[in-house]
Amino acid sequence: MNRSILLFVLAASACLARAGEAPIFADGFESPRAPDCVAGLAPASLQAGDLGPAPGGSFQLLGCLEVANDRGFERSSVAWSGVPIARDVGLTDDQLSRLALVAPGNRQVAAQFSVVSRWGGPLADDTRPIRWLGVSAAARVGPGAPSSYALVRYAAPPVSADPQALVVDESDGRIVIDTGIGRFTLDPAAPALFERIEAAAEVGGEFTTIVTSIPGAGPFLELADGTRVNTSGDGAVVIDPDGFEVIEVGALKAVVRVNGHLVAAGGASLCDATDPPYERFGYTLVATFYRGRSDVLMQYQFRNECSNGDGEPWDDQVVNLIEAGWRLPLSSDGATAWYAGSGDARALENLPGTLQVRQRRGGGSPWQRRADVRADGEAIETAESFDAPLIGVQGDRFVVLQQMPWMRFREPQALTLRDGALSFDVVTENLVLGEGKGLWNFARLAVEPAARAADIEALRADGLAELERGLLWRAEPALLAASRVIPPLGTGQPSAVAGAYRDYLETIHANMLGKQWAAAKTYGSQLWPDVQFNEQFGSTFNATPFENNPNPNYWNPSGAELLEFLRSGEPQWVWDFALPQSWLQTFTAYLNVFDKRHGRSNGATVNSGGFGEGNWHRNAFGSDDYTYNRGMALAYALRPSPAMQQRFGHAGQMVIDRYGIPREDEASRDFFLSRISPERGILQHFENLANCAEFVPGDLGMACHEKLMEVVDELTVDNLRAGMICQGDVPDAAACDWPQTFMITAMQYGFFLRLYLNYDDVLAAPAAAALERTLTSLPAIYYDLGMDPAGGAPQPFAEWAALQSCSIVGNEVDACERFDNGDGVDIIFQNRPHTLSLGMLAHWLDPTVDLCEQSRTLLDQLFDGTERFGPLSDYLGEDSGWYKGAAQVVQMLVYAVGLYETRCR
């Protein structure tokens, strides 16, 4: 049995050992019985996903999945996310029908499985085993509690009837999605998409039309000069060629995606940044439907795609808007309007012509946030912000409710009832939309029987939780460790380093939510929830958001929080900041010209910082080496998004085009645009390429995979030499100039580790060998030659080198010389703890390296209890949240915490 299989067996055994159950081995099946790792609330009903007792037949436990609820009320909903699966489990596409999810009470729940990524190859290569498995399944979770489910693979497809399975009919040029109590008729050729939305009070009941398509339905736009575009005849809304796609269909869930453009009359929407000009206003709508539900989740991306895509200025193609959003005309006005702002939801018996719940543009002197509810132009409620806005209409049979998440931060936005139509307005007052920027937005339309209006507060809370706290499946530690998708994150055993690390994350997280956003004025749909450059918010405040100078995901704080979710299972680490921040970067901060191929920066950062509405991320300093996107792969894997997948493809195509000069012609490469070297900015582009190669389907994903293999071959031959990372497109054969130590620790090592863990079995032998040698030897070289200038054994407070250049004889290190890192510093300080993670990772990959106990001892000395946060203390600033230094020093520290607890196994 090889080491990977052994790890999987041990992990499965550990998962079951909590209840004293015998292990289920990876090479066989056992008689049917309920896995004892299951705990929590049993599913409540067939409509809630209960398919009855778990099927009989032999099965194999693949692992335990947890879903957590940090809200103060019970939730019963569809949880969906990606979960990691070990390569040696050998899960393939033809086995998806043999999977099931076993819930508490030994019940099978309605579930649907998909391929998010594969081991060692692109999505299009169905001969490769599944690496990240998409799991969508009904879940029931108590207040403030987790539930655990078992992911099992049967020897044969289980017989499990679901009389309430979602049904999709694609006849007559329409797509009809029947969820049991909702029926959605979609017209793939119509920009409004929803031809009709119907609802029934119960399964098998009579359907009533709720939403119907009329002129003006669907996307709409108004420019500051009065130019209007909608589907009623003002301009034109067009679906792009091949712009409609059914992304996923199953018994539990259906997902469709539409790409289109809003075209103003007379060329008013043309972008003249290129010749020939092209249409500026692109949009993407992703609609998700669930079995047994009559609601629809809508993700709406609206874009200003105008940019030359090539160089400064990055702020001369802005556009001024008045209004943009999506309109859903109701078939009946109903009799009662509902709205909620700050307090309880209220009913208006006399239905107004216009009712709007708005998070307005902030203003005044001093500047302050502003929210209001207006009925026929008259303010009936005002506040600084609304935490749980809602709008709706109640008729004789149904109440129709609409919500948007995070409106309190993302001004100016609104929920609107006007002339018998509901709309979610992603722009609702004058807004400057920046060059090559998109606005990411979500909305939920829910239809409930009219009698449920008596439970309006429960519906409101549950709907907001669906949007801002969507239920996620998380692989429990044993399954995660066995998967080897990432290194182990530990077992939760207490230690000084784990305590300091956790306290540090919690403090920064709380400061950001409670202080930094308020002090920096991080409000606005193009700004929230970005981070700052330095720790500047103790007594210093921005007067307005326009003074905010954000820095796009600087050193990847979102990735640090997403890893903590995998470690702890707590939803806050995904939803408070990390996932919205990842969307902000993907759609807004990074240049977004959608599928255009001109320029050199689509999908990458073009500037770090910037001031003024629309020009955040566009008119400050820096270059496209500030992408810092190492956390994006995890953000997507944990919450797969068709819109984010598209952006991975666009960025990957940019990298293919930009780095198109082959190795045999490398002398002709441009130093700034096309050289291939393991340096910060370039590796960030190759992270884009790796995301495309791993997650994007079809020919483009294949092309990205082939380009990634080409790049890895060149880097491993040219730059991974003598067990080190050497800079330069064509490094000196006798010398190796290292990147700065903190960059190796926070970026380069992690990039090469990602490649090795995923692709080691498909790389050419020299490339695989060079990767393995570098990952295991580089830490040992640094421990020997970089930690003590006197050449002694590593000491925790010695002068660890900030930069080195080493001479090479043959293919071995001869000697190393220290240098200033370019910032006037020749010693690393706060970066010491996560630098030790490299030694532990090397030991994890190859125990003969024997750096584990030495690294654990050094961590004990660094975190000796004299300071609460140990050597991380200096990066907390004055009550600051995430910023450059604070994020940089924890990029790999979670692995040191995990490997410390497992003794690097």
Side-chain angles (χ1 to χ4, degrees):
M1 183 179 294
N2 68 33
R3 183 169 179 267
S4 295
I5 291 180
L6 176 61
L7 284 170
F8 175 78
V9 170
L10 293 174
S13 302
C15 186
L16 299 176
R18 293 174 300 186
E21 186 173 0
I24 297 177
F25 289 95
D27 56 358
F29 294 84
E30 286 201 350
S31 299
R33 55 192 174 86
D36 287 344
C37 65
V38 173
L41 298 178
S45 65
L46 176 61
Q47 186 174 337
D50 183 8
L51 301 186
S58 298
F59 70 87
Q60 173 191 29
L61 175 66
L62 296 187
C64 313
L65 305 183
E66 179 187 86
V67 57
N69 171 26
D70 62 357
R71 305 292 86 177
F73 49 88
E74 181 183 311
R75 296 179 63 187
S76 181
S77 183
V78 174
W80 53 278
S81 53
V83 297
I85 303 293
R87 177 192 279 126
D88 289 317
V89 168
L91 183 64
T92 52
D93 296 33
D94 61 341
Q95 297 176 18
L96 294 181
S97 64
R98 291 163 49 192
L99 298 180
L101 209 60
V102 179
N106 196 26
R107 311 293 290 182
Q108 183 185 8
V109 293
Q112 187 168 316
F113 304 97
S114 60
V115 183
V116 177
S117 76
R118 302 183 187 279
W119 283 101
L123 277 176
D125 184 359
D126 61 9
T127 67
R128 304 299 303 177
I130 296 169
R131 188 170 194 250
W132 282 96
L133 173 71
V135 178
S136 299
R140 184 183 177 203
V141 201
S147 291
S148 294
Y149 294 64
L151 177 64
V152 298
R153 174 171 57 183
Y154 281 86
V159 177
S160 51
D162 183 1
Q164 296 185 16
L166 181 147
V167 176
V168 177
D169 180 357
E170 299 189 38
S171 60
D172 298 327
R174 300 290 191 268
I175 294 178
V176 180
I177 301 171
D178 190 334
T179 69
I181 61 171
R183 191 161 61 196
F184 303 84
T185 302
L186 311 181
D187 183 350
L193 182 61
F194 298 97
E195 184 174 284
R196 188 164 58 254
I197 297 177
E198 301 165 280
E202 58 187 4
V203 176
E206 179 185 356
F207 280 101
T208 297
T209 300
I210 304 297
V211 170
T212 187
S213 181
I214 60 174
F220 61 88
L221 164 69
E222 183 176 352
L223 306 183
D225 64 5
T227 300
R228 294 178 57 85
V229 184
N230 56 44
T231 58
S232 69
D234 294 333
V237 183
V238 298
I239 295 178
D240 295 343
D242 300 318
F244 178 87
E245 186 175 0
V246 178
I247 302 295
E248 184 177 356
V249 172
L252 179 83
K253 177 181 170 188
V255 182
V256 302
R257 180 180 61 202
V258 182
N259 295 316
H261 281 79
L262 294 100
V263 179
S269 55
L270 284 173
C271 167
D272 60 2
T274 62
D275 186 15
Y278 59 86
E279 288 297 336
R280 171 192 301 262
F281 296 116
Y283 74 88
T284 297
L285 181 77
V286 178
T288 302
F289 312 88
Y290 300 123
R291 164 202 180 283
R293 304 288 290 266
S294 56
D295 53 359
V296 54
L297 176 66
M298 292 176 281
Q299 181 181 10
Y300 183 56
Q301 311 292 338
F302 174 75
R303 300 177 294 272
N304 169 20
E305 297 177 7
C306 189
S307 175
N308 67 14
D310 199 43
E312 294 182 329
W314 296 107
D315 56 3
D316 64 338
Q317 298 291 330
V318 302
V319 65
N320 294 317
L321 308 176
I322 290 292
E323 192 175 55
W326 194 281
R327 186 172 293 116
L328 293 162
L330 302 177
S331 61
S332 171
D333 287 344
T336 302
W338 284 96
Y339 74 89
S342 295
D344 292 342
R346 298 175 177 85
L348 295 176
E349 298 298 338
N350 296 317
L351 199 69
T354 300
L355 178 65
Q356 194 168 52
V357 182
R358 302 189 299 176
Q359 187 65 46
R360 300 183 55 201
R361 292 176 61 95
S365 183
W367 185 95
Q368 63 181 4
R369 301 159 76 190
R370 300 184 293 189
D372 63 24
V373 180
R374 302 181 71 84
D376 290 332
E378 180 181 350
I380 56 177
E381 183 180 345
T382 61
E384 286 194 4
S385 63
F386 295 144
D387 288 341
L390 172 144
I391 201 166
V393 177
Q394 180 180 347
D396 293 337
R397 298 194 62 201
F398 293 98
V399 57
V400 185
L401 303 174
Q402 184 167 258
Q403 293 171 281
M404 291 175 69
W406 299 296
M407 266 180 56
R408 58 196 176 278
F409 301 121
R410 308 193 67 240
E411 61 183 52
Q413 297 186 334
L415 296 167
T416 302
L417 169 64
R418 179 182 292 123
D419 298 330
L422 287 172
S423 66
F424 56 93
D425 300 352
V426 301
V427 178
T428 188
E429 291 180 78
N430 184 61
L431 177 81
V432 179
L433 182 58
E435 175 177 331
K437 283 196 167 191
L439 301 177
W440 62 270
N441 312 277
F442 291 86
R444 177 177 180 262
L445 184 79
V447 185
E448 298 284 351
R452 292 221 58 199
D455 303 321
I456 193 76
E457 288 304 326
L459 295 175
R460 177 188 181 192
D462 190 62
L464 191 67
E466 286 283 296
L467 290 164
E468 295 190 5
R469 241 17 178 225
L471 295 178
L472 297 163
W473 298 109
R474 166 192 171 248
E476 291 194 347
L479 174 59
L480 180 63
S483 75
R484 292 177 70 87
V485 168
I486 60 173
L489 299 183
T491 58
Q493 297 174 355
S495 66
V497 61
Y501 167 77
R502 174 70 185 206
D503 283 355
Y504 179 80
L505 286 188
E506 286 184 334
T507 301
I508 284 182
H509 185 88
N511 284 348
M512 182 178 60
L513 271 61
K515 299 176 183 179
Q516 180 168 294
W517 291 343
K521 303 294 190 295
T522 311
Y523 305 121
S525 55
Q526 298 173 78
L527 180 58
W528 180 86
D530 215 339
V531 299
Q532 308 304 307
F533 184 79
N534 279 320
E535 71 280 22
Q536 56 191 12
F537 297 111
S539 57
T540 303
F541 292 79
N542 287 343
T544 73
F546 310 120
E547 298 172 15
N548 199 307
N549 182 26
N551 284 262
N553 204 30
Y554 218 126
W555 283 111
N556 190 29
S558 59
E561 295 214 358
L562 291 168
L563 285 170
E564 183 58 18
F565 165 74
L566 285 179
R567 197 175 83 98
S568 70
E570 297 165 357
Q572 66 173 356
W573 301 110
V574 173
W575 292 108
D576 283 353
F577 164 74
L579 205 52
Q581 166 72 351
S582 299
W583 294 328
L584 180 75
Q585 301 312 306
T586 301
F587 301 111
T588 307
Y590 302 166
L591 190 71
N592 189 348
V593 294
F594 199 59
D595 59 359
K596 312 296 187 300
R597 292 180 64 174
H598 66 276
R600 57 179 173 83
S601 296
N602 191 10
T605 296
V606 297
N607 268 327
S608 183
F611 297 90
E613 184 174 69
N615 290 325
W616 299 298
H617 317 110
R618 293 292 183 268
N619 67 355
F621 62 92
S623 62
D624 63 355
D625 71 345
Y626 286 87
T627 301
Y628 291 103
N629 56 2
R630 281 197 53 226
M632 294 302 169
L634 190 54
Y636 177 81
L638 289 175
R639 196 69 166 181
S641 157
M644 196 171 186
Q645 184 188 66
Q646 280 188 312
R647 296 298 296 142
F648 282 170
H650 301 152
Q653 183 66 67
M654 177 272 293
V655 175
I656 291 173
D657 294 342
R658 178 165 170 174
Y659 294 90
I661 300 175
R663 185 166 179 250
E664 56 266 26
D665 299 325
E666 61 188 1
S668 65
R669 289 172 178 163
D670 185 285
F671 181 84
F672 296 102
L673 297 180
S674 56
R675 65 193 171 100
I676 294 179
S677 175
E679 295 162 42
R680 177 183 69 183
I682 299 170
L683 286 194
Q684 290 172 53
H685 292 161
F686 295 156
E687 284 278 357
N688 276 332
L689 182 64
N691 290 340
C692 176
E694 183 170 357
F695 298 116
V696 173
D699 292 343
L700 179 53
M702 287 284 288
C704 287
H705 173 77
E706 291 169 4
K707 185 66 177 181
L708 180 64
M709 295 300 98
E710 175 189 322
V711 166
V712 173
D713 281 343
E714 177 170 340
L715 288 173
T716 52
V717 171
D718 284 0
N719 302 94
L720 302 189
R721 299 166 55 239
M724 298 180 292
I725 299 173
C726 308
Q727 298 186 112
D729 200 338
V730 187
D732 188 328
C736 177
D737 293 329
W738 289 39
Q740 296 178 39
T741 301
F742 81 85
M743 289 188 183
I744 291 176
T745 297
M747 179 176 295
Q748 279 98 337
Y749 190 95
F751 172 77
F752 288 115
L753 180 64
R754 173 187 183 180
L755 296 179
Y756 179 72
L757 292 179
N758 193 359
Y759 298 104
D760 69 306
D761 69 330
V762 297
L763 291 171
L771 271 174
E772 182 175 19
R773 183 182 182 191
T774 298
L775 293 169
T776 55
S777 297
L778 183 146
I781 294 168
Y782 186 73
Y783 277 42
D784 288 343
L785 302 175
M787 283 189 174
D788 188 344
Q795 299 297 322
F797 302 105
E799 296 180 352
W800 295 13
L803 186 67
Q804 294 188 117
S805 180
C806 300
S807 58
I808 300 174
V809 176
N811 195 26
E812 301 296 330
V813 179
D814 180 42
C816 294
E817 183 179 359
R818 297 159 167 261
F819 290 93
D820 182 303
N821 70 357
D823 296 324
V825 179
D826 59 5
I827 304 169
I828 65 167
F829 295 99
Q830 286 79 13
N831 290 279
R832 297 170 195 255
H834 72 151
T835 300
L836 293 172
S837 70
L838 272 58
M840 305 172 89
L841 287 164
H843 186 111
W844 174 65
L845 292 168
D846 180 4
T848 65
V849 171
D850 197 23
L851 291 177
C852 187
E853 293 308 314
Q854 185 178 45
S855 302
R856 294 178 84 249
T857 298
L858 289 168
L859 283 171
D860 287 338
Q861 293 168 328
L862 289 171
F863 293 92
D864 62 1
T866 57
E867 291 189 55
R868 178 185 175 192
F869 305 105
L872 305 175
S873 297
D874 291 344
Y875 275 92
L876 285 173
E878 298 182 27
D879 296 330
S880 63
W882 286 116
Y883 70 97
K884 174 186 177 182
Q888 177 200 109
V889 298
V890 293
Q891 286 307 295
M892 302 288 277
L893 186 54
V894 67
Y895 300 131
V897 171
L899 292 167
Y900 183 102
E901 295 170 4
T902 63
R903 292 189 177 270
C904 306
R905 293 192 290 272

